[in-house]
Amino acid sequence: QVQLVESGGGLVQPGGSLRLSCAASGSILRINAINWYRQGPGKQRELVAVMSDDGVTNYSDSVKGRFTISRDSAKNTAHLQMNSLHPDDTAVYYCNVVLTLLSAEAHSAWGQGTQVSVSS
């Protein structure tokens, strides 16, 4: 019905930057809310960034000031810009998007996850 494909992860040195993308496909009218989660080795899943359907953003204390969430409505794509990366940012990152379908129904979809590794 609806699929999210994540990309942009990789290996980066401390202090470096990455830009994650979450592209939605299917019978989509628009993207509403966006959530970015991460799960590091041996850790529980953590919500790190949120954008509401009206564009209001919020961030966890661990990433505030370094990460920026955004959306490209024309491309049905969500982004997470990550700057000044720390080794503790190493995790698999997952996007979760709430969309409005062409049928006018609300729908929630998850990306497959993308690995971010921060190391010297």
Side-chain angles (χ1 to χ4, degrees), residues 11 20 32 38 40 69 79 89 96:
L11 176 63
L20 306 184
N32 299 319
R38 69 184 182 187
I69 190 172
H79 299 281
D89 296 321
N96 167 236

Side-chain angles (χ1 to χ4, degrees), residues 57-107:
T57 61
N58 206 354
Y59 303 90
S60 68
D61 290 341
S62 60
V63 309
K64 190 174 299 182
R66 301 186 297 118
F67 289 13
T68 304
I69 190 172
S70 63
R71 63 188 174 200
D72 185 338
S73 297
K75 298 181 179 179
N76 289 327
T77 301
H79 299 281
L80 185 68
Q81 178 68 45
M82 306 184 297
N83 298 325
S84 301
L85 284 163
H86 304 159
D88 285 347
D89 296 321
T90 295
V92 178
Y93 284 73
Y94 299 90
C95 60
N96 167 236
V97 178
V98 178
L99 315 101
T100 299
L101 305 180
L102 294 179
S103 64
E105 300 174 58
H107 183 76

